[in-house]
Amino acid sequence: MRTRVGFLGAGRIARALAGGLLRSEGDSWELVASTRTRESGEGFGKAVPQARLYSEERNCDLVRESDIVFLCVKPQEVPGVLRQIQPATAGKWIVSVAAGVSLAALVAEAAPSARVIRAMPNLPVLIGRGVIPYCLGPGWDAGDREGAKKLLRRFGEAVEIDEKLFPLATVLAGCGPAYFCAFLAPLLRFAAESGLPGSEARRMLLSTFSGTAELLRQTDLDPNEAVQESRTPGGITHAALTVLEQREWPETLRRALDAALRRAKTLEEA
Ligand SMILES: NC(=O)c1ccc[n+]([C@@H]2O[C@H](COP(=O)([O-])OP(=O)(O)OC[C@H]3O[C@@H](n4cnc5c(N)ncnc54)[C@H](OP(=O)(O)O)[C@@H]3O)[C@@H](O)[C@H]2O)c1
């Protein structure tokens, strides 16, 4: 089956979602994306050469020509785009990934027969290994609910959540890849400065982290216990963790997460 998918906005997350769809098995996809400026479209065109590109004036055409539409513009651009596409939304599936934009706001602007999904993908959706918390607007029957889940599973783990948990899901799953990479980058710098070639250090560290994640997944081992397993008193791990604790690493991380959650809630109320 050939499914027509439109992306309103062709930036970072639209590229990741389009890549994830194209890598997933089964259906084939006909993709179209729109942008405000030509430069943004060129980036998408390089990453997804099979997609057609429209300018923002053709947003309504894009929606009419699509079965499923991903709304991938910045949150402050959502109201204007929704007003523009409203006449074309009848019967369409509209998936908004815009942070802080509520289901109520989406439903209010879409045609009554449109079916609306609010979702929060993270970057590994590009390889089908993302996490995508989501909630559904009104009007979904049981068959379509299953279809929505099947669609989102193409990007990785699709988790239906209560809408009030969106800020927290964003802080954990949406921002998670950035926390991990912000932690990895100094480790790689340290490895390079200490004499391990970049590609070897990268392979070694990525295998270490993915192996540890898999160990926790398969054994239900508690992370605190896992730390104690590798922390021999007076040993090497102990030396590193002692410095992190002296610098109040857990408290610092907690302050960072509190700041992220406050920001996510502010966006929700805007
Ligand atoms: N980045 C992430 O990891 C991530 C994760 C989850 C959710 N999100 C959400 O995804 C949305 C987009 O984020 P992003 O990081 O992908 O931003 P981005 O890279 O800035 O992309 C936004 C895109 O929207 C286009 N655009 C702006 N106004 C438009 C209009 N009227 N019609 C059509 N296209 C228009 C922009 O075109 P121009 O560049 O030409 O202006 C650009 O291609 C945000 O709402 C964000 O909350 C992002």
Side-chain angles (χ1 to χ4, degrees):
M1 199 179 93
R2 200 163 179 77
T3 308
R4 301 171 308 164
V5 179
F7 294 89
L8 291 160
R12 285 163 287 197
I13 201 66
R15 278 201 299 274
L17 289 166
L21 274 186
L22 292 172
R23 280 178 173 80
S24 70
E25 288 175 3
D27 297 350
S28 63
W29 309 95
E30 193 180 311
L31 305 185
V32 53
S34 66
T35 55
R36 211 170 40 83
T37 62
R38 183 189 287 270
E39 296 76 51
S40 187
E42 280 168 4
F44 190 90
K46 267 194 205 128
V48 192
Q50 54 276 74
R52 278 173 297 134
L53 292 171
Y54 289 174
S55 63
E56 65 174 327
E57 292 77 33
R58 296 196 61 195
N59 281 346
C60 262
D61 292 338
L62 178 147
V63 175
R64 273 194 203 96
E65 293 165 17
S66 304
D67 307 302
I68 301 166
V69 175
F70 285 88
L71 185 54
C72 299
V73 297
K74 295 248 174 66
Q76 63 273 22
E77 286 150 354
V78 169
V81 172
L82 280 176
R83 270 193 302 278
Q84 181 191 8
I85 63 167
Q86 203 277 343
T89 53
K92 306 293 179 182
W93 285 16
I94 313 279
V95 186
S96 166
V97 301
V101 177
S102 69
L103 270 179
L106 297 163
V107 169
E109 294 290 347
S113 62
R115 294 290 169 263
V116 175
I117 304 176
R118 179 179 176 188
M120 181 44 66
N122 61 13
L123 278 184
V125 294
L126 173 64
I127 55 160
R129 294 290 305 274
V131 173
I132 184 156
Y134 72 98
C135 57
L136 301 175
W140 291 86
D141 63 27
D144 281 350
R145 286 185 98 86
E146 211 31 61
K149 183 151 207 164
K150 191 171 162 218
L151 168 72
L152 297 177
R153 276 202 190 125
R154 292 178 181 277
F155 302 109
E157 202 165 323
V159 192
E160 189 168 2
I161 60 168
D162 192 307
E163 190 174 17
K164 65 177 183 304
L165 291 174
F166 255 77
L168 185 56
T170 305
V171 168
L172 297 175
C175 309
Y179 307 147
F180 172 69
C181 292
F183 186 74
L184 180 65
L187 288 177
L188 286 170
R189 205 165 45 244
F190 167 78
E193 286 165 9
S194 309
L196 192 65
S199 57
E200 264 178 56
R202 190 181 159 103
R203 207 170 46 242
M204 189 184 281
L205 285 165
L206 290 179
S207 294
T208 299
F209 288 128
S210 62
T212 308
E214 207 43 51
L215 172 73
L216 296 188
R217 195 197 297 273
Q218 285 187 26
T219 61
D220 282 337
L221 182 63
D222 179 89
N224 289 312
E225 274 177 49
V227 169
Q228 293 318 318
E229 294 281 326
S230 22
R231 184 175 191 167
T232 312
I236 301 165
T237 309
H238 182 76
L241 293 178
T242 301
V243 175
L244 286 175
E245 285 156 4
Q246 282 163 352
R247 296 295 170 106
E248 300 188 333
W249 148 262
E251 293 79 5
T252 304
L253 188 56
R254 176 60 196 251
R255 282 198 291 279
L257 294 170
D258 283 339
L261 189 56
R262 272 196 306 279
R263 180 69 190 127
K265 286 184 173 166
T266 309
L267 273 178
E268 206 81 7
E269 286 151 15

Short mmCIF file of all heavy atoms in Angstrom, two decimals, residues 9-13 34-37 40 56 59 72-75 77 81 97-99 120-121 123, ligand 1:
data_model
loop_
_atom_site.label_atom_id
_atom_site.label_comp_id
_atom_site.label_asym_id
_atom_site.label_seq_id
_atom_site.Cartn_x
_atom_site.Cartn_y
_atom_site.Cartn_z
N GLY A 9 6.51 21.91 7.62
CA GLY A 9 7.78 22.16 8.29
C GLY A 9 8.72 21.03 7.94
O GLY A 9 8.34 19.85 7.99
N ALA A 10 9.95 21.40 7.52
CA ALA A 10 10.89 20.37 7.06
C ALA A 10 12.24 20.55 7.75
O ALA A 10 13.29 20.47 7.12
CB ALA A 10 11.03 20.46 5.54
N GLY A 11 12.18 20.78 9.08
CA GLY A 11 13.42 20.98 9.84
C GLY A 11 13.94 19.67 10.42
O GLY A 11 13.74 18.59 9.84
N ARG A 12 14.57 19.79 11.61
CA ARG A 12 15.29 18.65 12.18
C ARG A 12 14.37 17.46 12.47
O ARG A 12 14.67 16.32 12.08
CB ARG A 12 15.98 19.08 13.48
CG ARG A 12 17.20 19.91 13.20
CD ARG A 12 17.61 20.66 14.42
NE ARG A 12 16.68 21.74 14.67
CZ ARG A 12 16.94 22.77 15.46
NH1 ARG A 12 18.08 22.84 16.08
NH2 ARG A 12 16.07 23.73 15.64
N ILE A 13 13.23 17.71 13.11
CA ILE A 13 12.42 16.55 13.51
C ILE A 13 11.67 15.98 12.30
O ILE A 13 11.48 14.77 12.21
CB ILE A 13 11.47 16.90 14.68
CG1 ILE A 13 11.05 15.62 15.41
CG2 ILE A 13 10.24 17.68 14.24
CD1 ILE A 13 12.16 14.89 16.12
N SER A 34 6.74 20.95 3.33
CA SER A 34 6.71 22.39 3.02
C SER A 34 7.58 23.16 4.01
O SER A 34 7.77 22.73 5.15
CB SER A 34 5.28 22.93 3.06
OG SER A 34 4.78 22.88 4.38
N THR A 35 8.11 24.28 3.54
CA THR A 35 8.94 25.14 4.39
C THR A 35 8.63 26.60 4.10
O THR A 35 7.98 26.92 3.10
CB THR A 35 10.44 24.95 4.08
OG1 THR A 35 10.65 25.16 2.70
CG2 THR A 35 10.94 23.60 4.48
N ARG A 36 9.12 27.44 4.99
CA ARG A 36 8.94 28.88 4.80
C ARG A 36 10.00 29.40 3.83
O ARG A 36 9.70 30.11 2.89
CB ARG A 36 9.08 29.56 6.17
CG ARG A 36 8.28 30.80 6.40
CD ARG A 36 8.34 31.17 7.85
NE ARG A 36 9.68 30.98 8.40
CZ ARG A 36 10.67 31.85 8.30
NH1 ARG A 36 10.50 33.00 7.71
NH2 ARG A 36 11.84 31.58 8.84
N THR A 37 11.26 28.98 4.05
CA THR A 37 12.35 29.48 3.19
C THR A 37 12.92 28.34 2.34
O THR A 37 12.83 27.17 2.72
CB THR A 37 13.50 30.06 4.04
OG1 THR A 37 14.01 29.00 4.85
CG2 THR A 37 13.03 31.20 4.93
N SER A 40 15.71 25.93 4.04
CA SER A 40 15.22 24.85 4.88
C SER A 40 14.78 23.66 4.01
O SER A 40 15.03 22.50 4.33
CB SER A 40 14.06 25.40 5.69
OG SER A 40 13.61 24.52 6.63
N GLU A 56 5.45 27.48 1.73
CA GLU A 56 4.36 27.54 2.71
C GLU A 56 3.02 27.97 2.10
O GLU A 56 1.96 27.63 2.63
CB GLU A 56 4.73 28.47 3.87
CG GLU A 56 4.89 29.91 3.49
CD GLU A 56 5.12 30.81 4.70
OE1 GLU A 56 4.58 30.52 5.78
OE2 GLU A 56 5.83 31.80 4.55
N ASN A 59 0.65 25.04 1.63
CA ASN A 59 0.36 24.14 2.77
C ASN A 59 -0.98 23.43 2.61
O ASN A 59 -1.12 22.25 2.95
CB ASN A 59 0.38 24.92 4.08
CG ASN A 59 1.80 25.17 4.57
OD1 ASN A 59 2.75 24.56 4.08
ND2 ASN A 59 1.96 26.09 5.52
N CYS A 72 5.12 19.91 11.94
CA CYS A 72 6.51 19.96 12.45
C CYS A 72 7.06 21.38 12.45
O CYS A 72 8.26 21.58 12.23
CB CYS A 72 7.42 19.07 11.61
SG CYS A 72 6.96 17.35 11.59
N VAL A 73 6.19 22.36 12.66
CA VAL A 73 6.69 23.75 12.77
C VAL A 73 6.89 24.07 14.25
O VAL A 73 6.44 23.33 15.13
CB VAL A 73 5.72 24.76 12.11
CG1 VAL A 73 5.60 24.49 10.62
CG2 VAL A 73 4.35 24.74 12.77
N LYS A 74 7.56 25.19 14.51
CA LYS A 74 7.80 25.60 15.90
C LYS A 74 6.45 25.91 16.58
O LYS A 74 5.49 26.32 15.91
CB LYS A 74 8.65 26.87 15.91
CG LYS A 74 10.05 26.67 15.36
CD LYS A 74 11.06 26.81 16.49
CE LYS A 74 12.46 26.47 16.05
NZ LYS A 74 13.02 27.40 15.08
N PRO A 75 6.38 25.72 17.91
CA PRO A 75 5.09 25.91 18.59
C PRO A 75 4.42 27.24 18.27
O PRO A 75 3.20 27.29 18.04
CB PRO A 75 5.48 25.82 20.07
CG PRO A 75 6.72 24.99 20.10
CD PRO A 75 7.45 25.27 18.82
N GLU A 77 4.46 28.90 15.66
CA GLU A 77 3.97 28.95 14.27
C GLU A 77 2.72 28.09 14.08
O GLU A 77 2.07 28.16 13.03
CB GLU A 77 5.07 28.49 13.31
CG GLU A 77 6.16 29.53 13.15
CD GLU A 77 7.53 28.93 12.86
OE1 GLU A 77 7.68 27.70 12.88
OE2 GLU A 77 8.46 29.73 12.63
N VAL A 81 -0.44 28.25 11.03
CA VAL A 81 -0.47 27.15 10.06
C VAL A 81 -1.81 26.40 10.15
O VAL A 81 -2.42 26.06 9.13
CB VAL A 81 0.73 26.19 10.26
CG1 VAL A 81 0.59 24.94 9.40
CG2 VAL A 81 2.04 26.90 9.96
N VAL A 97 3.74 17.39 16.50
CA VAL A 97 4.87 17.09 17.39
C VAL A 97 5.34 18.37 18.09
O VAL A 97 6.40 18.39 18.69
CB VAL A 97 6.04 16.41 16.63
CG1 VAL A 97 5.57 15.12 15.98
CG2 VAL A 97 6.66 17.34 15.59
N ALA A 98 4.55 19.44 17.99
CA ALA A 98 4.97 20.73 18.54
C ALA A 98 4.89 20.73 20.06
O ALA A 98 3.83 20.45 20.63
CB ALA A 98 4.09 21.84 17.96
N ALA A 99 6.01 21.06 20.70
CA ALA A 99 6.05 21.05 22.17
C ALA A 99 5.06 22.06 22.72
O ALA A 99 4.97 23.20 22.24
CB ALA A 99 7.47 21.39 22.64
N MET A 120 5.33 13.24 20.91
CA MET A 120 6.62 13.85 21.24
C MET A 120 7.76 12.90 20.88
O MET A 120 8.23 12.12 21.70
CB MET A 120 6.65 14.21 22.74
CG MET A 120 7.92 14.88 23.21
SD MET A 120 8.58 16.18 22.15
CE MET A 120 7.31 17.44 22.25
N PRO A 121 8.17 12.92 19.60
CA PRO A 121 9.23 11.99 19.18
C PRO A 121 10.61 12.45 19.67
O PRO A 121 10.79 13.63 19.95
CB PRO A 121 9.18 12.09 17.65
CG PRO A 121 8.62 13.45 17.38
CD PRO A 121 7.73 13.81 18.53
N LEU A 123 15.03 11.99 18.76
CA LEU A 123 15.81 11.89 17.51
C LEU A 123 16.03 10.46 16.98
O LEU A 123 16.05 10.27 15.76
CB LEU A 123 17.15 12.62 17.65
CG LEU A 123 17.09 14.13 17.44
CD1 LEU A 123 18.49 14.73 17.52
CD2 LEU A 123 16.45 14.50 16.09
N1 LIG B 1 14.15 18.87 17.23
C1 LIG B 1 13.68 17.90 18.01
O1 LIG B 1 14.40 16.98 18.45
C2 LIG B 1 12.20 17.86 18.36
C3 LIG B 1 11.72 16.76 19.09
C4 LIG B 1 10.34 16.71 19.37
C5 LIG B 1 9.49 17.71 18.94
N2 LIG B 1 10.00 18.78 18.26
C6 LIG B 1 9.05 19.82 17.81
O2 LIG B 1 9.12 19.86 16.41
C7 LIG B 1 8.85 21.18 15.96
C8 LIG B 1 9.93 21.59 14.98
O3 LIG B 1 11.19 21.53 15.64
P1 LIG B 1 12.53 21.46 14.80
O4 LIG B 1 13.61 21.29 15.79
O5 LIG B 1 12.38 20.48 13.69
O6 LIG B 1 12.54 22.98 14.22
P2 LIG B 1 13.23 23.51 12.88
O7 LIG B 1 14.42 22.69 12.55
O8 LIG B 1 13.39 24.98 13.09
O9 LIG B 1 12.11 23.26 11.76
C9 LIG B 1 10.94 24.02 11.66
C10 LIG B 1 10.50 23.97 10.21
O10 LIG B 1 9.24 24.62 10.06
C11 LIG B 1 9.28 25.40 8.84
N3 LIG B 1 8.21 26.41 8.84
C12 LIG B 1 8.11 27.53 9.57
N4 LIG B 1 6.94 28.17 9.27
C13 LIG B 1 6.32 27.40 8.33
C14 LIG B 1 5.08 27.50 7.63
N5 LIG B 1 4.24 28.53 7.83
N6 LIG B 1 4.76 26.53 6.74
C15 LIG B 1 5.60 25.49 6.51
N7 LIG B 1 6.79 25.33 7.15
C16 LIG B 1 7.13 26.28 8.04
C17 LIG B 1 10.66 25.95 8.88
O11 LIG B 1 11.02 26.52 7.64
P3 LIG B 1 12.12 27.70 7.63
O12 LIG B 1 13.39 27.09 8.18
O13 LIG B 1 12.20 28.02 6.20
O14 LIG B 1 11.58 28.79 8.51
C18 LIG B 1 11.44 24.68 9.24
O15 LIG B 1 11.62 23.86 8.09
C19 LIG B 1 8.78 22.08 17.19
O16 LIG B 1 7.44 22.39 17.44
C20 LIG B 1 9.37 21.22 18.30
O17 LIG B 1 8.72 21.48 19.54
C21 LIG B 1 11.33 18.87 17.94
#
